Amino acid sequence: MSQAAIPATDVGTDAAPKLKRVLGVPSLVLFGLVYMVPLTVFTTYGIVTEMTGGRVAVSYLITLVAMLFTARSYARMSVAYPYAGSAYVYTQRSFGGGVGFLAGWSLMLDYLFLPMINYLVIGIYLEAAFPAVPAWVFILASIVIVTVLNVIGIVSVARANVVIIAVQAVFIGAFVVFGLASLSGQQVDPLAPFIGDGTVEGPGVLFAGAAVLCLSFLGFDSVSTLAEEAKEPTRSVPRAIMITTIAAGVIFIGLSYLAQLVFPSNVFTDVDSAALDVMQTAGGEFLAVFFTAAYVAGAAGSALTSQASVSRIIYAMGRDGVLPTRVFGRLSARFKTPVVAVLCVSAVSLLAIWIDLGLLAGMISFGALVAFSVVNLSVIKHYYLDRKERAGIQVLRNLVLPLIGFALTVWLWTSLSVETFIVGLSWLAIGVVLLAIVTRGFRRPTPMLDLKE
């Protein structure tokens, strides 16, 4: 018995509910952009401005180039395996069930805590705006709203995405208008955001800033988790992945460039909330309040989309028997959504009331970089080694480019703290124990999904 495949009846027959194929390229791109939160550029703006001497835009450009290689690998694998599960499915089919399970387990670390970090940010900002109401009230209310929308179905998520991205688009438009108006009549050096203020020099600081900013791109891979809800998955999903990555990069570079022109200094009232100094300079109290509202809306949208993604990864792992199938591998007959998985994610998100923000960010980085690494390697394994597509340009497409993506991801690993490695490796150890239980001490093959429509 080489592989333990789940019977097709458990995967999806005419009698079993299936995910609805309702998403086109625009909806998928919106999903990815909302997940990534365009305004996340301001989350680490002060820190990276100090680190790079005012060259945040340059560091974002470096990060975008690095992420494009990995995004391309996701797009390639989404064509080979257009199924829910993202890096979990890609790695499972390329390297086998055991490696696939550990990749999916690591990816869950990313996705499980992304909703949580958004709930935490919402609580912090709204408590600052309404001091009489404790943060946990806002956190709990956000979890309830997001859970209901995800249970109802992906169409409700897509519709909410339109509203959320519209709010951020309006704010970005307002910031551009106010920012340019504030520069009117002033002596402005358009090259300043690329040259810097001279406080720090050398390319090393730019790469260090890029390592921090890679967190802004966590989420383009979320598009691949919706492959079974896309109308034409082998066409729309890879296109949406690349469009999302490029669009987000352009937005990040543009906003950070304008912010540096508006506020050409790396001295802030508070480095963690440096964006408020920029907004006050560009548009006064009005723009600062508008920014807070738009940022909270963006965090809510990211929580909405990230919970949708992780629930589908849990569903995929339950559907093929790695997690209990009767609990996680079933869809709601009414809503056609993985309700149990959605509710489990919501329960874990309650930890946002107590957990530390720094620890959350570290765990998200660890899980994402594991997924990025294995997806780049999966392209090499699937196309170059297994299918032997090595003629002419195929060497570049199937070996060189994914190898560059893997090397850049390994480089990003160097920015992680010791604490992050301890927590991340502990999470992996738990995954190994769970895998040992499922395989009866590794004496049985890891269950794998029978990928048949």
Side-chain angles (χ1 to χ4, degrees), residues 37 39 164 167-169 171-172 289-300:
V37 189
L39 296 186
I164 292 166
V167 171
Q168 294 190 73
F171 170 78
I172 290 172
V289 172
F290 190 5
F291 166 75
T292 300
Y295 190 83
V296 168

Side-chain angles (χ1 to χ4, degrees), residues 403-426:
L403 199 58
I404 293 174
F406 175 72
L408 291 171
T409 302
V410 171
W411 165 70
L412 292 175
W413 277 86
T414 62
S415 68
L416 298 179
S417 66
V418 174
E419 181 186 34
T420 298
F421 273 106
I422 292 173
V423 174
L425 292 175
S426 298

Side-chain angles (χ1 to χ4, degrees), residues 56-185:
V56 181
V58 181
S59 286
Y60 261 121
L61 181 59
I62 294 171
T63 311
L64 173 60
V65 172
M67 289 295 101
L68 280 174
F69 285 95
T70 296
R72 180 190 171 279
S73 290
Y74 270 90
R76 293 277 284 152
M77 294 307 295
S78 71
V79 174
Y81 300 110
Y83 303 95
S86 187
Y88 164 59
V89 168
Y90 307 154
T91 311
Q92 181 197 70
R93 309 313 296 189
S94 299
F95 293 101
V99 178
F101 169 80
L102 292 178
W105 185 257
S106 299
L107 186 61
M108 273 211 295
L109 189 64
D110 176 9
Y111 282 134
L112 273 175
F113 291 106
L114 265 175
M116 194 188 306
I117 201 170
N118 284 294
Y119 295 133
L120 182 56
V121 169
I122 290 171
I124 291 172
Y125 273 89
L126 291 184
E127 185 181 37
F130 306 98
V133 183
W136 69 265
V137 174
F138 296 113
I139 291 173
L140 188 60
S142 300
I143 292 174
V144 171
I145 293 171
V146 167
T147 300
V148 169
L149 287 173
N150 268 304
V151 166
I152 291 175
I154 199 66
V155 173
S156 68
V157 174
R159 289 170 179 166
N161 285 347
V162 174
V163 176
I164 292 166
I165 205 71
V167 171
Q168 294 190 73
V170 171
F171 170 78
I172 290 172
F175 173 63
V176 170
V177 171
F178 277 100
L180 293 177
S182 70
L183 298 175
S184 179

Side-chain angles (χ1 to χ4, degrees), residues 243-255:
I243 292 171
T244 299
T245 306
I246 294 171
V250 171
I251 291 171
F252 295 153
I253 293 169
L255 289 178

Side-chain angles (χ1 to χ4, degrees), residues 165-252:
I165 205 71
V167 171
Q168 294 190 73
V170 171
F171 170 78
I172 290 172
F175 173 63
V176 170
V177 171
F178 277 100
L180 293 177
S182 70
L183 298 175
S184 179
Q186 296 188 27
Q187 197 76 8
V188 178
D189 181 4
L191 296 179
F194 300 109
I195 298 173
D197 56 18
T199 55
V200 292
E201 297 180 354
V205 295
L206 296 175
F207 285 100
V212 174
L213 296 176
C214 76
L215 295 174
S216 300
F217 286 87
L218 301 182
F220 66 81
D221 58 321
S222 66
V223 175
S224 65
T225 68
L226 300 178
E228 292 184 42
E229 289 154 284
K231 296 176 182 177
E232 300 176 81
T234 57
R235 174 179 173 273
S236 58
V237 172
R239 288 182 61 190
I241 289 173
M242 299 306 297
I243 292 171
T244 299
T245 306
I246 294 171
V250 171
I251 291 171
F252 295 153

